[in-house]
């Protein structure tokens, strides 16, 4: 099986799950891939021990084992796994990250509900990032959280936002040095030393190229205005009007 992930070709052995991989499957595999991965029974057993949940199916654990292999070996070909929810608006991607349960998926859902068809999901939980010549690209993967929000696309990353719960909706741009440790926690750091070094080097590129924001929010629709205007630089109300007109024409 061969997959197209983050603009590279990945050969995969030990798993055959066409329903899960969907649009990422390469219909006519090429002889040469950028990366080769193999899921073994030992790796699946290791995932069960890590998860410590007896009710997880072998199919699910096999998918996790492949994801871990991708995250471990991806840095060698410049691909890095991040824990974030990523959406696309007006040709740019915006990544929202936080500890599990803080509300990154909820915020993505609020953008989609408020701004309609102008917002498309890139990935709801585990995007791949890579640095192009001038920008950092955010890419969909099949590992997208319980909502299943994902597309096989790569979009220039226009902003990285750290979410926290608050009583008011405030989004402000912050210095990369202020989030260095938090950002590293949201990137998968491989066990191999050389791959870990590549990950830290990529983090430096990410924080230099992509504006970083901090959003304190209520998880109400009003939070969208705060993050939207700060990250896109556009007027929220004007965009609502334009989006309503666009949607009415599409209907």
């Amino acid at each position: 099986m061969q997959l197209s992930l983050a603009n590279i070709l990945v050969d995969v052995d030990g798993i055959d799950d066409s329903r899960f991989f969907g649009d990422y499957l390469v219909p006519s595999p090429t002889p040469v891939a950028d990366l080769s991965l193999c899921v073994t029974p030992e790796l699946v057993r290791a995932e069960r021990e890590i998860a410590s949940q007896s009710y997880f199916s072998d199919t699910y654990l096999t998918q996790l084992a492949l994801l871990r292999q991708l995250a471990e070996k991806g840095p060698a070909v410049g691909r890095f796994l991040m824990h974030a929810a990523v959406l696309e608006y007006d040709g740019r991607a915006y990544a929202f990250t936080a500890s599990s349960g803080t509300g990154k998926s909820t915020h993505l859902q609020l953008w989609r509900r408020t701004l309609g068809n102008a917002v498309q999901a890139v990935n709801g939980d585990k995007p791949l990032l890579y640095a192009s010549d001038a920008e950092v690209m955010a890419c969909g993967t099949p590992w997208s959280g319980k909502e299943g929000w994902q597309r096989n696309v790569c979009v220039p990353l226009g902003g990285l936002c750290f979410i926290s719960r608050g009583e008011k909706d405030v989004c402000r741009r912050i210095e990369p040095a202020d989030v260095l440790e938090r950002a590293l926690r949201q990137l998968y750091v491989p066990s191999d030393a050389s791959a870990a070094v590549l990950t830290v080097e990529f983090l430096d590129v990410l924080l230099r190229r992509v504006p970083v924001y901090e959003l304190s929010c209520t998880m109400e629709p009003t939070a969208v205005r705060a993050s939207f205007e700060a990250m896109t630089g556009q007027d929220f109300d004007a965009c609502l009007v334009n989006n309503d007109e666009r949607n009415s024409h599409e209907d």
Side-chain angles (χ1 to χ4, degrees):
M1 180 173 66
Q2 192 172 80
L3 305 178
S4 173
L5 287 167
N7 284 334
I8 61 171
L9 294 177
V10 182
D11 279 340
V12 176
D13 288 325
I15 180 173
D16 184 11
D17 193 346
S18 58
R19 183 176 178 181
F20 177 74
F21 293 109
D23 293 338
Y24 300 86
L25 283 169
V26 177
S28 300
T30 63
V32 179
D34 301 287
L35 189 64
S36 295
L37 306 175
C38 181
V39 179
T40 65
E42 291 76 17
L43 292 176
V44 175
R45 285 195 292 271
E47 289 299 325
R48 187 173 295 282
E49 292 178 4
I50 293 170
S52 68
Q53 301 290 346
S54 59
Y55 55 82
F56 284 158
S57 68
D58 283 345
T59 298
Y60 176 71
L61 293 171
T62 300
Q63 294 165 359
L64 286 184
L66 179 61
L67 176 63
R68 192 177 300 278
Q69 269 215 326
L70 176 63
E72 287 282 343
K73 297 186 177 182
V77 290
R79 269 53 181 179
F80 303 87
L81 188 73
M82 190 173 203
H83 179 219
V86 183
L87 58 83
E88 178 184 358
Y89 180 86
D90 199 20
R92 306 291 287 180
Y94 300 94
F96 297 90
T97 187
S99 301
S100 296
T102 303
K104 64 184 189 302
S105 296
T106 300
H107 196 69
L108 189 155
Q109 187 175 38
L110 289 173
W111 270 63
R112 299 182 73 188
R113 187 182 302 161
T114 305
L115 294 162
N117 294 336
V119 174
Q120 296 292 322
V122 174
N123 187 270
D125 192 48
K126 297 288 192 304
L128 283 172
L129 307 182
Y130 74 91
S132 67
D133 290 340
E135 300 186 279
V136 172
M137 307 296 290
C139 309
T141 74
W143 297 273
S144 52
K146 62 181 182 295
E147 296 87 359
W149 295 332
Q150 51 81 23
R151 291 182 298 142
N152 190 3
V153 296
C154 290
V155 186
L157 188 57
L160 173 63
C161 186
F162 291 83
I163 297 179
S164 62
R165 295 290 181 91
E167 296 181 358
K168 295 182 179 180
D169 300 311
V170 179
C171 187
R172 63 186 182 93
R173 187 166 177 177
I174 55 179
E175 293 297 322
D178 295 336
V179 293
L180 186 62
E181 184 177 344
R182 278 188 286 172
L184 188 59
R185 285 201 299 267
Q186 302 308 319
L187 280 173
Y188 183 96
V189 180
S191 56
D192 177 74
S194 60
V197 169
L198 290 173
T199 302
V200 173
E201 291 175 348
F202 170 75
L203 177 60
D204 178 64
V205 173
L206 171 66
L207 296 181
R208 282 192 288 108
R209 291 187 181 180
V210 179
V212 184
Y213 302 85
E214 187 169 52
L215 172 66
S216 175
C217 62
T218 60
M219 297 299 128
E220 297 294 330
T222 51
V224 176
R225 177 189 295 271
S227 59
F228 178 88
E229 293 190 338
M231 298 177 75
T232 70
Q234 300 182 40
D235 180 82
F236 181 72
D237 292 323
C239 289
L240 280 181
V241 172
N242 292 336
N243 292 337
D244 287 343
E245 291 178 351
R246 184 187 305 139
N247 292 336
S248 65
H249 289 316
E250 291 176 354
D251 294 339

